[in-house]
DNA sequence: TTATATTCGGACTCATATGTCCTATTTTTC
DNA sequence: GAAAAATAGGACATATGAGTCCGAATATAA
């Protein structure tokens, strides 16, 4: 469904947002511990998220990653997924046809379309803020 | 979502079913042409489907693959997916937590659960027969 | 019985995803 | 200015998924 890269990326973003909401910058090391991910690999993913400006980083002592309140409120799951895994999740034919189209549909296209639309709605409507609050309120976990 | 192996496996099964409904056994070569898949790789996938008895094979001249009318009617998409990709699609946490559970949910569990249930319903309720008829009626394509 | 057409299955290759390591760069603290 | 603490980024390593090759087994037809 999602690549591991993407899974780590989402969990890391949620944790960074949570810390940012408490006014704190977070180090890679702490992030990797808290989301139970390989540190060096997570570093690569965070670099990517910095480049697309979903999160911010600062080097040096007391450096680390953070997210602006604006970004926390406006960033949706879909942006993270698209940045890391691309558009396949919204576009790709379930049966692997080179194009997914209602005009030349595969054998499950018509049944699958609404399910996929629900999935896309989930991604585009779920904000990082919402997820971070879920963690804060202990309604969800990150590891 | 589905592995390529699984995509090829499903498309091959649909085509074998279609041919079986016309009373014909189908050779690997013809299957690979019709579903636009690499022949040797498809062979491996079909071997697996034979082992789990979703399709049948016979060697030698005029050999090939076929499916009993019983199997065509009773086999669902989910059986093919589970046989090839395993249960991950129904079980795995979207955010990669080691367990997906409502008691210790990840940040999207509650929103994702109904979508996944719809997906599982799609898989368990869609029969090979239904898909083969769709191809026969030219309502869907295989390549 | 021999030639031919087919699947079976093991060993291999290739591509991509996942993950590690090491050095450079930047920033803060002393 | 030097030491320390952090991210950046390239090169490398490993695992898995995707795909190929080839000989063995089997069935049919002449
Ligand atoms: S054509 Fe296959 S999902 Fe749309
Ligand atoms: S816990 Fe993540 S999807 Fe259920």
């Amino acid at each position: 469904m999602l690549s591991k890269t993407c899974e780590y990326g989402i969990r890391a973003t949620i944790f960074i947002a949570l810390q940012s909401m408490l006014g704190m910058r977070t180090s890679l090391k702490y992030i990797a511990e808290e989301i139970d991910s390989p540190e060096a690999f997570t570093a690569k993913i965070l670099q990517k998220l910095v480049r697309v400006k979903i999160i911010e980083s600062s080097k040096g002592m007391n450096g680390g990653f953070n997210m602006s309140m604006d970004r926390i409120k406006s960033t949706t799951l879909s942006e993270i997924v698209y940045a890391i895994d691309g558009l396949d999740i919204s576009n790709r034919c379930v049966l692997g046809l080179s194009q997914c189209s209602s005009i030349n549909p595969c054998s499950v296209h018509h049944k699958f379309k609404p399910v996929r639309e629900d999935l896309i709605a989930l991604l585009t409507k779920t904000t990082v803020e919402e997820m971070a609050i879920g963690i804060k309120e202990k309604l969800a976990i990150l590891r």
Side-chain angles (χ1 to χ4, degrees), chain A residues 92-95 97 99-101 104-106 109 112 116:
Chain A
R92 182 173 171 76
C93 167
V94 206
L95 296 192
L97 301 193
Q99 294 204 76
C100 170
S101 109
N104 272 121
C106 73
H109 178 90
F112 181 64
R116 177 162 63 194

Side-chain angles (χ1 to χ4, degrees), chain A residues 63-120:
Chain A
F65 298 89
N66 68 283
M67 212 171 163
S68 73
M69 237 6 248
D70 248 31
R71 274 299 185 190
I72 293 174
K73 286 181 189 299
S74 71
T75 303
T76 61
L77 251 182
S78 63
E79 291 177 65
I80 304 174
V81 171
Y82 293 158
I84 295 175
D85 282 353
L87 294 169
D88 268 17
I89 201 170
S90 345
N91 287 341
R92 182 173 171 76
C93 167
V94 206
L95 296 192
L97 301 193
S98 55
Q99 294 204 76
C100 170
S101 109
S102 292
I103 295 158
N104 272 121
C106 73
S107 302
V108 289
H109 178 90
H110 293 304
K111 285 186 169 186
F112 181 64
K113 198 176 168 209
V115 178
R116 177 162 63 194
E117 277 164 3
D118 287 348
L119 180 62
I120 295 172

